[in-house]
Amino acid sequence: MANILELKHLSVEYLGINKSKSDKIIAVNDVSLEIKEGEIYALAGESGCGKSTIAKSIVKLILPAKGDILFSGDSIYRHDKIKNKLYPSNVQMVFQNPYSALNPKMKIADILREPLDVNTKLTAKEKGLKISEIIEDVGLRESSLKLYPHEFSGGQRQRISIARALILAPKLLIADEPVSALDASIQAQILNLLKDLKQKHYLTILFISHDMNVIRYIADRIGIMYQGRLIEENYTGTVFRYPKEEYTKILLNSVPTLRLSK
């Protein structure tokens, strides 16, 4: 399989409390990785290790201090309009909190139509068909389109967020802690939905989480982040059975297990 995304020696810095250039915090430190087309690649690690910063760099919400990001072999930072004009629609992101990710003043139909208005030249009828199809794909009724975000549960809102991300038919979906704010039973539903949508829409998914149980269920390969660095990377089964780094072992040992008393 070809690589759809490559990070080459990526480093991201933030200004510290004093907001001076000399007071820098290195959030991502010289990270290189490759994500293959059609796979679910998970970035794992504790809070503050740089996972979400990498995701924001990929969607250009943050500019790196060093390194490069390649999408389908081309740098996303090159000033080449022909190569990069479709990048925003080819890479979409689902955020952690479904309660703050949707505009409370907009109906669901308008939330889903907005990306089409900005990025396509489809007719009103074509947009309507796409909206109806995608809301059905995420398991919601078409009547949902007439409602506002506050009329839905957290799990339903996350389904809507996923629908909004997929409405432009992206090649790469970034899911940043998409189930951490949800109840356990709802988490399983969203994970199964992502698996189904991956197959139906031929998606590649970068899945970010601190929950190793969730990652074990959904990911094909795992990258372990620690203090801004990628310290270990392998297939999911291999990492869980034969972890190499001491931090990875600690991370896996922290996974809760059910023990029945005799």
mmCIF file of all heavy atoms in Angstrom, residues 7 10-14 25-29 43 48-65 69 77 93 174 176 206 208 225 228:
data_model
loop_
_atom_site.group_PDB
_atom_site.id
_atom_site.type_symbol
_atom_site.label_atom_id
_atom_site.label_comp_id
_atom_site.label_asym_id
_atom_site.label_seq_id
_atom_site.Cartn_x
_atom_site.Cartn_y
_atom_site.Cartn_z
ATOM 1 N N LEU A 7 5.061 12.234 7.809
ATOM 2 C CA LEU A 7 5.641 13.293 8.627
ATOM 3 C C LEU A 7 7.151 13.113 8.598
ATOM 4 O O LEU A 7 7.657 12.018 8.881
ATOM 5 C CB LEU A 7 5.138 13.213 10.074
ATOM 6 C CG LEU A 7 3.839 13.942 10.422
ATOM 7 C CD1 LEU A 7 2.686 13.477 9.548
ATOM 8 C CD2 LEU A 7 3.507 13.766 11.890
ATOM 9 N N LEU A 10 9.163 16.260 12.000
ATOM 10 C CA LEU A 10 8.248 17.334 12.389
ATOM 11 C C LEU A 10 8.513 17.793 13.822
ATOM 12 O O LEU A 10 8.585 16.978 14.743
ATOM 13 C CB LEU A 10 6.793 16.860 12.272
ATOM 14 C CG LEU A 10 5.735 17.946 12.438
ATOM 15 C CD1 LEU A 10 5.666 18.817 11.191
ATOM 16 C CD2 LEU A 10 4.365 17.326 12.714
ATOM 17 N N SER A 11 8.662 19.099 13.992
ATOM 18 C CA SER A 11 8.798 19.696 15.320
ATOM 19 C C SER A 11 7.848 20.882 15.421
ATOM 20 O O SER A 11 7.730 21.676 14.484
ATOM 21 C CB SER A 11 10.236 20.170 15.567
ATOM 22 O OG SER A 11 11.119 19.074 15.636
ATOM 23 N N VAL A 12 7.172 20.983 16.556
ATOM 24 C CA VAL A 12 6.229 22.085 16.793
ATOM 25 C C VAL A 12 6.553 22.705 18.149
ATOM 26 O O VAL A 12 6.753 21.997 19.135
ATOM 27 C CB VAL A 12 4.762 21.601 16.779
ATOM 28 C CG1 VAL A 12 3.818 22.775 16.997
ATOM 29 C CG2 VAL A 12 4.445 20.896 15.470
ATOM 30 N N GLU A 13 6.601 24.033 18.175
ATOM 31 C CA GLU A 13 6.920 24.747 19.402
ATOM 32 C C GLU A 13 5.799 25.719 19.770
ATOM 33 O O GLU A 13 5.139 26.280 18.895
ATOM 34 C CB GLU A 13 8.233 25.529 19.225
ATOM 35 C CG GLU A 13 9.427 24.642 18.908
ATOM 36 C CD GLU A 13 10.666 25.449 18.565
ATOM 37 O OE1 GLU A 13 10.526 26.684 18.383
ATOM 38 O OE2 GLU A 13 11.754 24.863 18.469
ATOM 39 N N TYR A 14 5.623 25.900 21.084
ATOM 40 C CA TYR A 14 4.700 26.908 21.591
ATOM 41 C C TYR A 14 5.482 27.923 22.423
ATOM 42 O O TYR A 14 6.508 27.572 23.026
ATOM 43 C CB TYR A 14 3.622 26.288 22.477
ATOM 44 C CG TYR A 14 2.663 25.371 21.769
ATOM 45 C CD1 TYR A 14 2.588 24.025 22.108
ATOM 46 C CD2 TYR A 14 1.810 25.843 20.785
ATOM 47 C CE1 TYR A 14 1.694 23.174 21.474
ATOM 48 C CE2 TYR A 14 0.915 25.001 20.149
ATOM 49 C CZ TYR A 14 0.869 23.668 20.497
ATOM 50 O OH TYR A 14 -0.014 22.835 19.869
ATOM 51 N N ILE A 25 8.267 26.069 24.382
ATOM 52 C CA ILE A 25 7.907 24.719 24.810
ATOM 53 C C ILE A 25 7.863 23.844 23.563
ATOM 54 O O ILE A 25 7.136 24.137 22.614
ATOM 55 C CB ILE A 25 6.535 24.698 25.517
ATOM 56 C CG1 ILE A 25 6.579 25.570 26.771
ATOM 57 C CG2 ILE A 25 6.124 23.268 25.852
ATOM 58 C CD1 ILE A 25 5.218 25.799 27.388
ATOM 59 N N ILE A 26 8.662 22.791 23.544
ATOM 60 C CA ILE A 26 8.683 21.888 22.394
ATOM 61 C C ILE A 26 7.596 20.835 22.583
ATOM 62 O O ILE A 26 7.714 19.935 23.413
ATOM 63 C CB ILE A 26 10.058 21.215 22.237
ATOM 64 C CG1 ILE A 26 11.141 22.275 22.066
ATOM 65 C CG2 ILE A 26 10.062 20.270 21.040
ATOM 66 C CD1 ILE A 26 12.549 21.715 22.012
ATOM 67 N N ALA A 27 6.520 20.978 21.825
ATOM 68 C CA ALA A 27 5.381 20.068 21.956
ATOM 69 C C ALA A 27 5.569 18.798 21.149
ATOM 70 O O ALA A 27 5.145 17.712 21.556
ATOM 71 C CB ALA A 27 4.101 20.772 21.526
ATOM 72 N N VAL A 28 6.167 18.922 19.971
ATOM 73 C CA VAL A 28 6.473 17.780 19.106
ATOM 74 C C VAL A 28 7.935 17.889 18.704
ATOM 75 O O VAL A 28 8.371 18.935 18.221
ATOM 76 C CB VAL A 28 5.573 17.766 17.847
ATOM 77 C CG1 VAL A 28 5.968 16.629 16.921
ATOM 78 C CG2 VAL A 28 4.111 17.661 18.240
ATOM 79 N N ASN A 29 8.677 16.814 18.921
ATOM 80 C CA ASN A 29 10.125 16.865 18.764
ATOM 81 C C ASN A 29 10.617 15.837 17.743
ATOM 82 O O ASN A 29 10.711 14.645 18.038
ATOM 83 C CB ASN A 29 10.792 16.627 20.126
ATOM 84 C CG ASN A 29 12.275 16.956 20.118
ATOM 85 O OD1 ASN A 29 12.866 17.196 19.068
ATOM 86 N ND2 ASN A 29 12.868 16.970 21.288
ATOM 87 N N LEU A 43 -2.301 7.077 17.214
ATOM 88 C CA LEU A 43 -1.283 7.712 18.034
ATOM 89 C C LEU A 43 -1.737 7.620 19.483
ATOM 90 O O LEU A 43 -2.837 8.077 19.824
ATOM 91 C CB LEU A 43 -1.094 9.179 17.643
ATOM 92 C CG LEU A 43 -0.122 9.496 16.503
ATOM 93 C CD1 LEU A 43 -0.082 10.993 16.263
ATOM 94 C CD2 LEU A 43 1.282 8.963 16.790
ATOM 95 N N GLY A 48 -0.828 15.613 26.814
ATOM 96 C CA GLY A 48 0.307 16.516 26.734
ATOM 97 C C GLY A 48 1.520 15.969 26.026
ATOM 98 O O GLY A 48 2.562 16.629 25.979
ATOM 99 N N CYS A 49 1.392 14.777 25.432
ATOM 100 C CA CYS A 49 2.562 14.165 24.790
ATOM 101 C C CYS A 49 2.758 14.636 23.348
ATOM 102 O O CYS A 49 3.767 14.305 22.723
ATOM 103 C CB CYS A 49 2.472 12.637 24.841
ATOM 104 S SG CYS A 49 1.169 11.949 23.809
ATOM 105 N N GLY A 50 1.798 15.383 22.800
ATOM 106 C CA GLY A 50 1.963 15.922 21.458
ATOM 107 C C GLY A 50 1.049 15.339 20.403
ATOM 108 O O GLY A 50 1.117 15.717 19.229
ATOM 109 N N LYS A 51 0.154 14.436 20.787
ATOM 110 C CA LYS A 51 -0.727 13.770 19.818
ATOM 111 C C LYS A 51 -1.620 14.770 19.071
ATOM 112 O O LYS A 51 -1.662 14.792 17.835
ATOM 113 C CB LYS A 51 -1.626 12.730 20.522
ATOM 114 C CG LYS A 51 -0.918 11.720 21.382
ATOM 115 C CD LYS A 51 -1.875 10.673 21.930
ATOM 116 C CE LYS A 51 -3.010 11.238 22.750
ATOM 117 N NZ LYS A 51 -2.570 11.850 24.024
ATOM 118 N N SER A 52 -2.344 15.579 19.826
ATOM 119 C CA SER A 52 -3.281 16.522 19.210
ATOM 120 C C SER A 52 -2.551 17.628 18.457
ATOM 121 O O SER A 52 -3.066 18.156 17.468
ATOM 122 C CB SER A 52 -4.192 17.136 20.276
ATOM 123 O OG SER A 52 -5.048 16.150 20.827
ATOM 124 N N THR A 53 -1.358 17.975 18.911
ATOM 125 C CA THR A 53 -0.566 18.980 18.205
ATOM 126 C C THR A 53 -0.197 18.484 16.807
ATOM 127 O O THR A 53 -0.233 19.244 15.832
ATOM 128 C CB THR A 53 0.704 19.325 19.005
ATOM 129 O OG1 THR A 53 0.333 19.890 20.258
ATOM 130 C CG2 THR A 53 1.565 20.321 18.253
ATOM 131 N N ILE A 54 0.126 17.206 16.710
ATOM 132 C CA ILE A 54 0.413 16.616 15.394
ATOM 133 C C ILE A 54 -0.829 16.695 14.508
ATOM 134 O O ILE A 54 -0.756 17.074 13.333
ATOM 135 C CB ILE A 54 0.887 15.164 15.547
ATOM 136 C CG1 ILE A 54 2.316 15.138 16.093
ATOM 137 C CG2 ILE A 54 0.811 14.404 14.220
ATOM 138 C CD1 ILE A 54 2.863 13.746 16.353
ATOM 139 N N ALA A 55 -1.985 16.356 15.071
ATOM 140 C CA ALA A 55 -3.233 16.410 14.296
ATOM 141 C C ALA A 55 -3.508 17.826 13.789
ATOM 142 O O ALA A 55 -3.871 18.020 12.622
ATOM 143 C CB ALA A 55 -4.395 15.922 15.157
ATOM 144 N N LYS A 56 -3.317 18.811 14.649
ATOM 145 C CA LYS A 56 -3.570 20.196 14.260
ATOM 146 C C LYS A 56 -2.566 20.676 13.212
ATOM 147 O O LYS A 56 -2.890 21.521 12.379
ATOM 148 C CB LYS A 56 -3.538 21.095 15.489
ATOM 149 C CG LYS A 56 -4.716 20.870 16.428
ATOM 150 C CD LYS A 56 -4.576 21.664 17.714
ATOM 151 C CE LYS A 56 -5.729 21.369 18.667
ATOM 152 N NZ LYS A 56 -5.571 22.064 19.968
ATOM 153 N N SER A 57 -1.362 20.137 13.257
ATOM 154 C CA SER A 57 -0.368 20.476 12.238
ATOM 155 C C SER A 57 -0.776 19.920 10.881
ATOM 156 O O SER A 57 -0.600 20.576 9.846
ATOM 157 C CB SER A 57 1.009 19.922 12.629
ATOM 158 O OG SER A 57 1.474 20.502 13.818
ATOM 159 N N ILE A 58 -1.336 18.722 10.888
ATOM 160 C CA ILE A 58 -1.733 18.084 9.628
ATOM 161 C C ILE A 58 -2.852 18.854 8.945
ATOM 162 O O ILE A 58 -2.898 18.960 7.718
ATOM 163 C CB ILE A 58 -2.145 16.618 9.884
ATOM 164 C CG1 ILE A 58 -0.941 15.806 10.363
ATOM 165 C CG2 ILE A 58 -2.723 15.983 8.616
ATOM 166 C CD1 ILE A 58 -1.285 14.419 10.873
ATOM 167 N N VAL A 59 -3.768 19.422 9.732
ATOM 168 C CA VAL A 59 -4.869 20.201 9.140
ATOM 169 C C VAL A 59 -4.547 21.695 9.078
ATOM 170 O O VAL A 59 -5.421 22.526 8.850
ATOM 171 C CB VAL A 59 -6.201 19.970 9.900
ATOM 172 C CG1 VAL A 59 -6.653 18.540 9.750
ATOM 173 C CG2 VAL A 59 -6.082 20.359 11.369
ATOM 174 N N LYS A 60 -3.289 22.030 9.317
ATOM 175 C CA LYS A 60 -2.778 23.403 9.175
ATOM 176 C C LYS A 60 -3.365 24.390 10.175
ATOM 177 O O LYS A 60 -3.413 25.595 9.909
ATOM 178 C CB LYS A 60 -3.008 23.918 7.749
ATOM 179 C CG LYS A 60 -2.213 23.192 6.671
ATOM 180 C CD LYS A 60 -2.404 23.879 5.331
ATOM 181 C CE LYS A 60 -1.508 23.282 4.272
ATOM 182 N NZ LYS A 60 -1.648 23.994 2.973
ATOM 183 N N LEU A 61 -3.796 23.910 11.326
ATOM 184 C CA LEU A 61 -4.213 24.824 12.386
ATOM 185 C C LEU A 61 -2.997 25.362 13.133
ATOM 186 O O LEU A 61 -3.065 26.397 13.795
ATOM 187 C CB LEU A 61 -5.152 24.110 13.372
ATOM 188 C CG LEU A 61 -6.539 23.767 12.842
ATOM 189 C CD1 LEU A 61 -7.327 22.987 13.887
ATOM 190 C CD2 LEU A 61 -7.291 25.027 12.431
ATOM 191 N N ILE A 62 -1.882 24.622 13.041
ATOM 192 C CA ILE A 62 -0.616 25.010 13.660
ATOM 193 C C ILE A 62 0.481 24.824 12.626
ATOM 194 O O ILE A 62 0.510 23.805 11.923
ATOM 195 C CB ILE A 62 -0.311 24.142 14.903
ATOM 196 C CG1 ILE A 62 -1.380 24.335 15.986
ATOM 197 C CG2 ILE A 62 1.067 24.474 15.473
ATOM 198 C CD1 ILE A 62 -1.220 23.406 17.159
ATOM 199 N N LEU A 63 1.390 25.782 12.532
ATOM 200 C CA LEU A 63 2.529 25.651 11.636
ATOM 201 C C LEU A 63 3.716 25.067 12.392
ATOM 202 O O LEU A 63 4.003 25.473 13.518
ATOM 203 C CB LEU A 63 2.908 27.017 11.055
ATOM 204 C CG LEU A 63 1.907 27.655 10.086
ATOM 205 C CD1 LEU A 63 2.394 29.034 9.679
ATOM 206 C CD2 LEU A 63 1.708 26.774 8.863
ATOM 207 N N PRO A 64 4.416 24.103 11.807
ATOM 208 C CA PRO A 64 5.568 23.502 12.488
ATOM 209 C C PRO A 64 6.770 24.435 12.506
ATOM 210 O O PRO A 64 6.907 25.307 11.637
ATOM 211 C CB PRO A 64 5.851 22.259 11.646
ATOM 212 C CG PRO A 64 5.363 22.610 10.281
ATOM 213 C CD PRO A 64 4.165 23.489 10.490
ATOM 214 N N ALA A 65 7.632 24.232 13.494
ATOM 215 C CA ALA A 65 8.884 24.985 13.540
ATOM 216 C C ALA A 65 9.902 24.390 12.579
ATOM 217 O O ALA A 65 10.696 25.106 11.974
ATOM 218 C CB ALA A 65 9.445 24.981 14.963
ATOM 219 N N ILE A 69 5.324 17.909 6.083
ATOM 220 C CA ILE A 69 4.219 16.948 6.027
ATOM 221 C C ILE A 69 3.889 16.721 4.563
ATOM 222 O O ILE A 69 3.629 17.673 3.828
ATOM 223 C CB ILE A 69 2.977 17.455 6.784
ATOM 224 C CG1 ILE A 69 3.311 17.675 8.266
ATOM 225 C CG2 ILE A 69 1.824 16.468 6.642
ATOM 226 C CD1 ILE A 69 2.188 18.324 9.053
ATOM 227 N N TYR A 77 2.805 22.317 2.409
ATOM 228 C CA TYR A 77 3.190 23.709 2.593
ATOM 229 C C TYR A 77 3.735 24.351 1.322
ATOM 230 O O TYR A 77 4.057 25.532 1.314
ATOM 231 C CB TYR A 77 4.241 23.824 3.703
ATOM 232 C CG TYR A 77 3.719 23.316 5.019
ATOM 233 C CD1 TYR A 77 4.210 22.135 5.576
ATOM 234 C CD2 TYR A 77 2.712 23.997 5.697
ATOM 235 C CE1 TYR A 77 3.721 21.661 6.778
ATOM 236 C CE2 TYR A 77 2.211 23.525 6.893
ATOM 237 C CZ TYR A 77 2.720 22.365 7.434
ATOM 238 O OH TYR A 77 2.228 21.881 8.618
ATOM 239 N N MET A 93 -11.242 16.529 9.974
ATOM 240 C CA MET A 93 -10.967 16.190 11.374
ATOM 241 C C MET A 93 -12.245 16.145 12.196
ATOM 242 O O MET A 93 -13.146 16.978 12.032
ATOM 243 C CB MET A 93 -10.002 17.233 11.955
ATOM 244 C CG MET A 93 -9.460 16.918 13.328
ATOM 245 S SD MET A 93 -8.042 18.008 13.674
ATOM 246 C CE MET A 93 -7.718 17.581 15.394
ATOM 247 N N ILE A 174 -9.047 12.455 10.395
ATOM 248 C CA ILE A 174 -8.335 12.515 11.669
ATOM 249 C C ILE A 174 -9.371 12.545 12.781
ATOM 250 O O ILE A 174 -10.218 13.443 12.829
ATOM 251 C CB ILE A 174 -7.432 13.763 11.744
ATOM 252 C CG1 ILE A 174 -6.412 13.739 10.609
ATOM 253 C CG2 ILE A 174 -6.729 13.826 13.091
ATOM 254 C CD1 ILE A 174 -5.588 14.997 10.510
ATOM 255 N N ASP A 176 -9.638 12.882 16.640
ATOM 256 C CA ASP A 176 -8.876 13.272 17.827
ATOM 257 C C ASP A 176 -9.688 13.001 19.088
ATOM 258 O O ASP A 176 -10.579 13.759 19.434
ATOM 259 C CB ASP A 176 -8.499 14.752 17.727
ATOM 260 C CG ASP A 176 -7.565 15.186 18.852
ATOM 261 O OD1 ASP A 176 -7.128 14.323 19.638
ATOM 262 O OD2 ASP A 176 -7.280 16.393 18.954
ATOM 263 N N LEU A 206 -6.481 8.487 10.904
ATOM 264 C CA LEU A 206 -5.510 8.720 11.975
ATOM 265 C C LEU A 206 -6.318 8.877 13.252
ATOM 266 O O LEU A 206 -7.056 9.848 13.419
ATOM 267 C CB LEU A 206 -4.683 9.974 11.698
ATOM 268 C CG LEU A 206 -3.771 10.448 12.843
ATOM 269 C CD1 LEU A 206 -2.802 9.363 13.281
ATOM 270 C CD2 LEU A 206 -3.030 11.722 12.463
ATOM 271 N N ILE A 208 -6.534 9.216 17.303
ATOM 272 C CA ILE A 208 -5.738 9.693 18.435
ATOM 273 C C ILE A 208 -6.475 9.395 19.735
ATOM 274 O O ILE A 208 -7.657 9.712 19.883
ATOM 275 C CB ILE A 208 -5.483 11.200 18.310
ATOM 276 C CG1 ILE A 208 -4.596 11.463 17.082
ATOM 277 C CG2 ILE A 208 -4.836 11.767 19.565
ATOM 278 C CD1 ILE A 208 -4.472 12.911 16.729
ATOM 279 N N MET A 225 3.578 7.874 21.654
ATOM 280 C CA MET A 225 4.184 9.182 21.880
ATOM 281 C C MET A 225 4.555 9.342 23.361
ATOM 282 O O MET A 225 3.810 8.925 24.252
ATOM 283 C CB MET A 225 3.206 10.292 21.501
ATOM 284 C CG MET A 225 2.841 10.374 20.033
ATOM 285 S SD MET A 225 4.140 11.088 19.015
ATOM 286 C CE MET A 225 4.252 12.743 19.706
ATOM 287 N N GLY A 228 6.598 14.373 23.484
ATOM 288 C CA GLY A 228 6.779 14.976 22.181
ATOM 289 C C GLY A 228 7.491 14.130 21.152
ATOM 290 O O GLY A 228 7.632 14.538 19.995
#
